[in-house]
Amino acid sequence: MIKNEKIKATEVQLTGLNGEDLGIMSTRDALALAKQHKVDLICMSLMTSPPPCKLMGAGAAKQEKQQEKKKAAKTPDKRKVKEIRLNLQMEDHDRETKQSQAERILTKGDSVKLVIQVHGAKEGTAGKEWAEQLCKSLAEYGSKTTGIQVSGKQVVVQLDPIE
């Protein structure tokens, strides 16, 4: 947060104490106005020219910044991507367990990355077929975000929850 004499711009876009637009003025005039009202001149952003500045008390500026941080902390993070590793030689019961695990993850709102371990080209096609079956059976919980990718020793597909 840049304030008062540390603002190096020659002109600023000034906003008053009550949020009213005071227009573009020289930094010296804006500083004089701030001293007249016994408040600080706070620069909001250096990304535009002239930079937008506000007249506000030092305590109010700190409080506003803290409120913005709290708001940012409250917004939920991106959904997590949970990886489930599978193998073509798994028993049917283990496959069902992994599928129900994927259902649980998707209903919680996280994404699932299914990774099926394969060996060779023949198993690659079998792994792709199994991945397609899994996607169909999990269709009510999530949808594919990526296509089914077959690469060497694994088949990978990611499912995002349906909202």
Side-chain angles (χ1 to χ4, degrees):
M1 178 170 42
I2 300 170
K3 60 183 183 178
N4 297 332
E5 287 80 18
K6 292 183 181 176
I7 299 172
K8 301 291 182 200
T10 54
E11 290 184 327
V12 294
Q13 175 70 41
L14 192 61
T15 304
L17 288 168
N18 300 321
E20 70 275 6
D21 184 29
L22 300 176
I24 297 173
M25 61 173 62
S26 72
T27 308
R28 269 193 233 133
D29 293 343
L31 281 169
L33 197 59
K35 285 182 181 172
Q36 179 184 342
H37 290 289
K38 297 181 181 169
V39 293
D40 289 322
L41 178 66
I42 312 278
C43 183
M44 305 311 286
S45 171
L46 295 173
M47 297 298 149
T48 59
S49 181
C53 294
K54 272 187 181 179
L55 292 176
M56 58 176 25
K62 283 184 181 178
Q63 189 174 14
E64 190 175 285
K65 197 169 186 178
Q66 285 175 343
Q67 285 176 347
E68 285 177 14
K69 279 185 181 179
K70 279 184 184 178
K71 226 179 218 180
K74 283 183 183 178
T75 56
D77 293 348
K78 284 182 153 181
R79 66 175 59 110
K80 295 177 184 172
V81 178
K82 308 274 184 148
E83 188 173 295
I84 296 180
R85 293 189 165 271
L86 307 150
N87 195 324
L88 278 179
Q89 288 75 34
M90 293 174 88
E91 297 290 324
D92 289 339
H93 170 70
D94 294 331
R95 289 181 182 206
E96 291 166 7
T97 304
K98 294 287 187 175
Q99 184 175 333
S100 64
Q101 188 179 17
E103 289 172 7
R104 235 184 358 263
I105 292 168
L106 288 168
T107 53
K108 283 184 181 177
D110 291 331
S111 297
V112 173
K113 187 180 208 177
L114 301 170
V115 180
I116 303 170
Q117 300 294 322
V118 295
H119 302 288
K122 289 181 183 176
E123 283 192 5
T125 55
K128 185 174 182 177
E129 289 172 9
W130 186 30
E132 287 171 359
Q133 288 173 356
L134 278 169
C135 289
K136 285 178 187 171
S137 61
L138 293 169
E140 63 182 273
Y141 302 103
S143 60
K144 285 193 284 187
T145 47
T146 61
I148 297 173
Q149 302 162 346
V150 181
S151 58
K153 296 183 176 185
Q154 62 185 16
V155 177
V156 180
V157 64
Q158 183 171 330
L159 301 170
D160 277 352
I162 296 175
E163 295 175 15

